[in-house]
Amino acid sequence: MSAPAHHWVFRSKSERIALRLPVRALVALALLALVLLLICCVSLATGTYGVALNEVIDTLRGLSISRAIDNVVWEFRFPRTLAAALVGAMMALSGAALQNTTRNGLADPSLVGVSQGAALAVVTLTVVFPDVSGALRPWAAFAGAILVALAIQGLSHTRQGGSAIRFILMGIGLSTFISSITSALMTYGDIDRAMAALSWLAGSINAAGWSDVWTLGIWCAVLLPALLAISRSSSATRMGEASAISLGVRVKLIRNLQLAIAVALAAIATSVVGPLGFVGLIAPHAARRIAPAGIGLNLLITAMVGAVLVSLADLVGRAAFAPIQIPAGLLTALIGVPLFIVLMVRSRSSASH
Amino acid sequence: MSTMAAPNAGTHPVRAWSGVPVLLGILALAFLLHIAVGAKQLSLGTVIEALFNFDQTTFDHVIVRNLRLPRAVLAVIVGASLSLAGALMQGVTRNPLADPALLGLTSGAAFAVVIATSVLGLTSMIFIPWIAMVGALGAALVVYIIARLVPGGATPLSLTLSGAAISAFLSAIISVVHLLDQDTFENLRVWLTGGLAGRDITLLFYVGPPIALALIGGVLLAPRVTVLAMGDEVAQGLGVKTGALKVQLLAVVVVLTACSVALAGPLGFIGLVIPHVVRLYVGSDYRWIVPYAALAGAVYLLGVDTIARIAIPPREISTGIITAMIGAPLFIQLVRRRTR
Amino acid sequence: MSFRSSLLTAFLALAIVTPVMAQEFPVTIEHKFGTTVIETKPERVASLDYGGIGNLLKLGVSPVIVREWRDKFPSTTPPWGQSLLTTEPVVFTGDIDPELVASTNPDVIIALASGIDEDLYAKLSLIAPVVAIPSGLGDYELAWDQRALIAARALGAEAEAQRQIDAIHARFAEVRETHPEWAGKTAVVGRIVEGEFSAFNKLDIRAKFLNEFGFVTPTALDDITETAFFNLVSPELIEPIDADVLVWYGGSAALQESLDYPARPFLQAGARGGEIFLTDEHLAAIARQELLSIPVAVDFLVPLLEAAADGDPATTVEGDLQ
């Protein structure tokens, strides 16, 4: 353990609420928020419609310069920027919860097949039932993701505890299997539908609109507090299951709830923008390295890191080869894999994390 | 998979030999089945006639000779090559999870071909196999180096994970190249899905000789793989030059994988599944595992390709999808049963 | 007539004509996403359709933004339309970027063969009125004449479009009458995809084109037709593509592949000189089902079909460019 960290103590009037928060983590959170804000601003000022920076600022302040610029800033860029941040946060949180539940530092929704399961469900919906409303997509995605999560749970029940790498490999096998089914479905389906599904599967935030932002926002607002609440209970299990059980903590229930929330977060995000890999893997580790903190604060930092990552990926994908747009999903893979390798190399031995 | 078995444990020489004619017979049957089945119903008599008494003016004969036969030959060659490569890899790395695709070689080969065609503009068929070989070799080395760096060293699990990471990375780059250069990519898109449909059979002239050499080389080197599987020190003690042997084996694996990828695109899981099935019959002596794997692999791919063509008439499922659908669950099972 | 009375006449004529023209706007168009109202005659027109420029050019409009198409003509305009192009449009590829469309400042957006969905429609509507396909149709199923008419209505040129459509129909009828021997003969348009023959079935625009001349698709092909566009026929099967006339739709790049197609020597079209190999420009003319290109396509196709459908093996193997 390093030198004792400085804490900031907050007590409410009646001492009902007392918080002891590490300063470094708070500073980190604030800085990350600032970076996110910066990226969002750059994102709002970037695009194929040439808008000068001062015009962007004016429009944001409410001064309408022209209807076209209003549209570009408020209707095209703003929802996309928000969606990127929200999706990033949700995928990061999903990864954190997944890593906590499975006690496996290499877990990520797309590496265990959860994202692929969600994707398969949505593709099935698009190809087999094309007339069904798009509002059903998040629910279908959730169903698909839950099925995969159950499969993973079932598979990882062996006599031995199971090593981290083994779990991930099984996940990779499962996700490959699911991907092949998805490919088969697209071969079989109507070509129009297949093409629509194909562009969505690249994992891009291109088409995000305000309705998507509302969907993401509402679900995030529901799931994040739930996760925070559950995580506080699950911190007891860090001392070992036996101690936790003796403390009256319902270990199994909490674990399953955490897993369900992790799956839900990944599924909702995937249903809106397609599968987005490696964010859930990288963000929790980065958060831990940036500043050690208690569970709640750690989750917030993780979410912030995820938001920054995906917002940046989306921005770079949009701007680097303009006017050709690279989907954010490809960029997170390109950044994510090398980081994943670094994590692998630096991880402790193959025993559980 | 235990590596402590002595070379001939559980294998009677008689039993080992007896399997070969049986397998050859099955191969012949599978071959016949493959070319007897197709969109057009042909009687077995017609098929046999077409093979031995070819009449150019009968379309049925043309179907058998020019459409189905090349594809069957392709299936045999690719199936045998990938399975043999997988068997060798499993022996050398002492890793039951080894497979040319899982360890990144097929991705590397595909990646090299895409870059050469798209970025460097090399489209002549002569170069493709060699470019693929460079890619496969490069990827294999990177995967190995990374696995070495992982705490615990190049264990089967770390090798596989490293391979998965590299494959994902190369795949993402290919996608980006696709977006930036959609024209050239149209031709490659079909090839990249991995399958035996509509392949250019003339490529066989360029890859035929290297593959033949590699297959023979693999079978000849197989006995020494068994010794190698017992551990480097043991092997050296028995007088085997492990360094040179490993290099030779790597060369064989790379050639087989790269040429298969050049012929049929990236096909996965074949090299994983077949050696395990073969081991159930012949035990752990690679002298037998390797040639049996080649034969069994040919049968397997013939079977899978036949299914791909008749499963959802009149459409075809890509063969690569089916090998993944069969291979992935087996992969999961194998991982589950690992103790290390 | 004195100068004053001729001036008066001119004024009266103008007064009569102008309200007729003015009555065309505002225009209401119903489509699958709802209703679009176009208030005034648009000057700057955005076309998000694949091959959408031809209709606009023939109606006297040079669009401000168009979508790249696989024939890769400059400004997506084929040679026979270049003279009608007055301004160079922005050409985009890949997904539709609303910002890019907005940057061209259009007055109306035509999306009749573009594959847009509800979300994209909502975004585009913020820029300008969007003209989309009627409900109940697949993204690319709109017939060529409907497509021209709907676009024309949005541009206030419906009468002109109708005139051109009628002229084309008249040409079709003329061809049918001059060639009664074509009625009932079979014809197949298709190309090779991954070793299989991709034949355009009776629901496809290109097959329907030949239907106008009296040709029909073979029954064997109709039997296996399920969805619109094309049927993939295994190279082992001859019946679905064994028509009197076989139009190879592959272009110069696929010529060798087409010539080498294993079933070719066994097709009756081959034996009777009934094959037509389209050049790239021919392809463009037929593929673009638009007011601009259909007359061109008819002009070059008729002589080719005459030579192909006569049952006499004396047709040229490679179609000449007209």
Side-chain angles (χ1 to χ4, degrees):
Chain A
M1 277 288 254
S2 52
H6 294 287
H7 287 82
W8 176 69
V9 179
F10 165 78
R11 286 200 164 91
S12 71
K13 276 273 162 52
S14 54
E15 304 242 336
R16 283 279 206 85
I17 300 174
L19 293 169
R20 202 161 160 265
L21 303 165
V23 170
R24 181 169 159 189
L26 284 174
V27 170
L29 192 63
L31 277 175
L32 280 171
L34 221 60
V35 170
L36 182 63
L37 201 61
L38 190 64
I39 296 178
C40 287
C41 288
V42 175
S43 179
L44 283 174
T46 312
T48 42
Y49 192 106
V51 189
L53 188 57
N54 59 312
E55 288 176 315
V56 173
I57 297 176
D58 284 342
T59 312
L60 286 173
R61 282 167 57 199
L63 279 86
S64 175
I65 300 177
S66 77
R67 206 196 59 172
I69 295 186
D70 275 353
N71 279 334
V72 167
V73 174
W74 287 112
E75 302 289 339
F76 299 163
R77 295 184 187 174
F78 215 102
R80 179 177 179 161
T81 309
L82 282 180
L86 281 169
V87 165
M90 288 173 82
M91 292 304 278
L93 288 171
S94 172
L98 208 60
Q99 287 178 9
N100 282 337
T101 327
T102 59
R103 264 169 290 188
N104 182 344
L106 292 171
D108 172 280
S110 69
L111 284 178
V112 298
V114 166
S115 299
Q116 282 82 354
L120 176 59
V122 175
V123 169
T124 310
L125 204 66
T126 322
V127 171
V128 180
F129 307 106
D131 301 318
V132 165
S133 147
L136 274 182
R137 268 199 242 137
W139 298 101
F142 184 58
I146 278 283
L147 283 173
V148 172
L150 289 173
I152 282 283
Q153 282 283 69
L155 283 173
S156 56
H157 262 231
T158 53
R159 277 170 286 120
Q160 298 107 324
S163 79
I165 293 188
R166 234 176 92 224
F167 180 80
I168 290 299
L169 282 176
M170 284 196 291
I172 291 177
L174 194 58
S175 55
T176 310
F177 181 65
I178 296 174
S179 295
S180 66
I181 298 182
T182 313
S183 301
L185 199 62
M186 296 210 309
T187 317
Y188 197 59
D190 197 9
I191 194 157
D192 277 359
R193 311 265 116 248
M195 282 180 64
L198 198 63
S199 63
W200 174 82
L201 273 176
S204 98
I205 307 178
N206 267 342
W210 280 111
S211 63
D212 297 317
V213 174
W214 285 129
T215 309
L216 290 170
I218 290 175
W219 279 103
C220 204
V222 165
L223 292 170
L224 175 57
L227 188 60
L228 282 168
I230 298 280
S231 302
R232 291 184 73 78
S233 308
S234 86
S235 66
T237 64
R238 278 190 178 180
M239 293 180 283
E241 288 205 13
S243 329
I245 293 175
S246 67
L247 281 170
V249 175
R250 300 181 52 188
V251 175
K252 208 148 183 223
L253 178 64
I254 288 186
R255 252 184 105 158
N256 288 339
L257 274 175
Q258 245 189 336
L259 190 61
I261 295 179
V263 168
L265 283 165
I268 305 294
T270 305
S271 76
V272 172
V273 302
L276 208 60
F278 292 100
V279 181
L281 170 74
I282 303 298
H285 288 270
R288 259 195 293 279
R289 278 191 172 63
I290 290 178
I295 302 255
L297 207 48
N298 195 15
L299 279 177
L300 286 176
I301 296 181
T302 306
M304 204 58 83
V305 171
V308 166
L309 255 172
V310 176
S311 298
L312 196 58
D314 183 51
L315 180 59
V316 171
R318 230 192 317 158
F321 295 102
I324 296 180
Q325 307 205 358
I326 312 276
L330 286 179
L331 280 161
T332 56
L334 286 175
I335 307 173
V337 169
L339 286 175
F340 174 71
I341 292 174
V342 168
L343 280 174
M344 253 197 344
V345 168
R346 296 252 217 104
S347 72
R348 287 168 230 169
S349 70
S350 55
S352 302
H353 177 74
Chain B
M1 222 79 200
S2 167
T3 59
M4 291 301 131
N8 289 327
T11 317
H12 297 268
V14 174
R15 184 176 166 200
W17 272 115
S18 65
V20 175
V22 174
L23 211 44
L24 280 172
I26 298 178
L27 180 60
L29 273 175
F31 194 84
L32 209 55
L33 184 67
H34 189 274
I35 57 180
V37 162
K40 181 162 188 191
Q41 309 269 41
L42 292 175
S43 72
L44 205 55
T46 320
V47 172
I48 303 214
E49 222 187 276
L51 289 175
F52 298 111
N53 206 0
F54 184 55
D55 177 11
Q56 212 174 333
T57 60
T58 316
F59 186 54
D60 287 355
H61 287 204
V62 170
I63 290 178
V64 172
R65 265 283 183 112
N66 297 350
L67 290 173
R68 297 185 185 177
L69 193 62
R71 188 162 167 167
V73 169
L74 210 58
V76 167
I77 293 180
V78 172
S81 300
L82 288 175
S83 303
L84 198 141
L88 286 178
M89 287 179 88
Q90 289 177 13
V92 169
T93 60
R94 270 159 268 153
N95 173 8
L97 291 173
D99 166 90
L102 283 175
L103 264 64
L105 279 89
T106 54
S107 302
F111 173 74
V113 172
V114 167
I115 294 296
T117 318
S118 197
V119 174
L120 301 172
L122 290 168
T123 45
S124 168
M125 261 203 276
I126 317 176
F127 296 122
I128 302 270
W130 305 102
I131 295 172
M133 284 186 222
V134 168
L137 184 61
L141 288 173
V142 170
V143 168
Y144 181 67
I145 292 173
I146 292 176
R148 275 283 290 262
L149 291 172
V150 172
T155 66
L157 294 179
S158 66
L159 272 170
T160 313
L161 201 54
S162 172
I166 294 297
S167 298
F169 188 70
L170 293 175
S171 180
I173 298 187
I174 291 179
S175 297
V176 172
V177 171
H178 176 187
L179 284 169
L180 295 177
D181 186 2
Q182 291 196 330
D183 294 335
T184 328
F185 214 82
E186 260 318 294
N187 308 328
L188 288 174
R189 191 182 50 84
V190 167
W191 175 79
L192 273 174
T193 50
L196 299 168
R199 297 295 178 193
D200 191 354
I201 200 74
T202 57
L203 193 56
L204 207 50
F205 290 126
Y206 298 106
V207 302
I211 283 194
L213 283 174
L215 283 170
I216 296 173
V219 172
L220 289 176
L221 287 170
R224 280 186 271 171
V225 173
T226 311
V227 177
L228 200 58
M230 292 191 289
D232 275 9
E233 298 82 22
V234 179
Q236 277 161 355
L238 285 169
V240 172
K241 297 203 178 70
T242 52
L245 180 59
K246 284 188 185 176
V247 169
Q248 289 165 335
L249 287 168
L250 184 63
V252 167
V253 166
V254 164
V255 169
L256 288 174
T257 308
C259 292
S260 299
V261 170
L263 283 171
L267 277 174
F269 291 107
I270 300 176
L272 173 74
V273 169
I274 298 301
H276 282 276
V277 172
V278 164
R279 259 194 216 100
L280 294 173
Y281 183 78
V282 292
S284 24
D285 188 353
Y286 279 87
R287 182 186 327 178
W288 302 118
I289 294 179
V290 166
Y292 270 71
L295 290 173
V299 171
Y300 177 63
L301 200 53
L302 278 170
V304 168
D305 197 44
T306 310
I307 295 175
R309 287 188 300 138
I310 62 175
I312 49 164
R315 307 250 196 131
E316 256 192 49
I317 305 182
S318 166
T319 313
I321 294 179
I322 299 189
T323 55
M325 278 205 247
I326 299 177
L330 182 70
F331 170 73
I332 295 175
Q333 264 304 102
L334 286 171
V335 172
R336 273 186 87 189
R337 291 199 285 132
R338 288 284 308 154
T339 50
R340 274 185 287 121
Chain C
M1 259 204 273
S2 71
F3 177 68
R4 259 169 86 195
S5 39
S6 48
L7 201 59
L8 193 60
T9 317
F11 260 125
L12 281 173
L14 209 61
I16 295 171
V17 168
T18 317
V20 172
M21 288 199 307
Q23 260 160 31
E24 292 222 32
F25 284 93
V27 163
T28 309
I29 299 182
E30 306 267 345
H31 52 72
K32 75 188 282 190
F33 302 120
T35 315
T36 296
V37 178
I38 304 171
E39 302 284 342
T40 56
K41 184 170 161 72
E43 303 264 323
R44 302 176 63 79
V45 178
S47 167
L48 304 179
D49 298 336
Y50 287 108
I53 199 172
N55 283 335
L56 300 174
L57 288 176
K58 269 296 223 182
L59 297 171
V61 172
S62 254
V64 294
I65 181 170
V66 289
R67 193 167 197 171
E68 180 69 282
W69 212 31
R70 61 184 126 85
D71 48 29
K72 301 272 188 320
F73 289 126
S75 304
T76 75
T77 309
W80 49 88
Q82 287 286 341
S83 55
L84 295 169
L85 195 65
T86 50
T87 57
E88 255 194 61
V90 172
V91 179
F92 74 90
T93 60
D95 290 334
I96 298 172
D97 179 9
E99 272 193 51
L100 189 61
V101 176
S103 69
T104 60
N105 208 8
D107 301 325
V108 72
I109 299 175
I110 312 279
L112 296 169
S114 61
I116 63 171
D117 62 3
E118 209 162 345
D119 294 329
L120 196 50
Y121 169 78
K123 282 195 181 173
L124 292 169
S125 297
L126 296 166
I127 306 172
V130 179
V131 179
I133 57 181
S135 54
L137 285 176
D139 287 336
Y140 302 98
E141 280 178 14
L142 192 58
W144 67 268
D145 45 1
Q146 284 300 308
R147 185 168 151 181
L149 268 178
I150 298 177
R153 192 179 314 151
L155 301 173
E158 206 169 352
E160 172 62 19
Q162 190 62 60
R163 195 189 61 74
Q164 291 190 25
I165 292 174
D166 291 339
I168 292 177
H169 279 303
R171 183 88 169 87
F172 284 150
E174 183 198 333
V175 170
R176 266 200 305 276
E177 277 157 36
T178 7
H179 299 90
E181 72 276 13
W182 287 354
K185 285 216 169 150
T186 50
V188 167
V189 185
R191 62 197 166 124
I192 301 183
V193 173
E194 287 172 49
E196 290 182 294
F197 192 93
S198 171
F200 293 112
N201 60 41
K202 66 180 182 201
L203 300 172
D204 183 84
I205 272 176
R206 282 146 284 228
K208 287 185 186 171
F209 195 62
L210 286 179
N211 289 348
E212 299 282 1
F213 299 152
F215 290 97
V216 295
T217 41
T219 7
L221 187 62
D222 292 343
D223 287 341
I224 56 175
T225 296
E226 293 165 33
T227 62
F229 259 140
F230 58 88
N231 293 349
L232 280 173
V233 179
S234 163
E236 301 181 3
L237 300 176
I238 293 191
E239 269 209 312
I241 62 173
D242 201 10
D244 296 312
V245 173
L246 184 54
V247 182
W248 289 94
Y249 194 74
S252 52
L255 182 61
Q256 193 55 48
E257 205 185 356
S258 309
L259 289 171
D260 291 340
Y261 193 60
R264 250 191 90 225
F266 302 92
L267 294 170
Q268 54 171 331
R272 295 198 244 145
E275 288 177 304
I276 297 176
F277 290 85
L278 298 175
T279 63
D280 293 333
E281 294 214 4
H282 291 163
L283 272 184
I286 294 187
R288 292 157 166 271
Q289 291 282 306
E290 46 181 30
L291 301 173
L292 174 67
S293 301
I294 294 180
V296 173
V298 174
D299 284 342
F300 80 71
L301 257 186
V302 170
L304 288 176
L305 285 170
E306 280 171 354
D310 60 3
D312 181 358
T315 318
T316 50
V317 165
E318 229 168 311
D320 295 333
L321 177 64
Q322 305 269 321

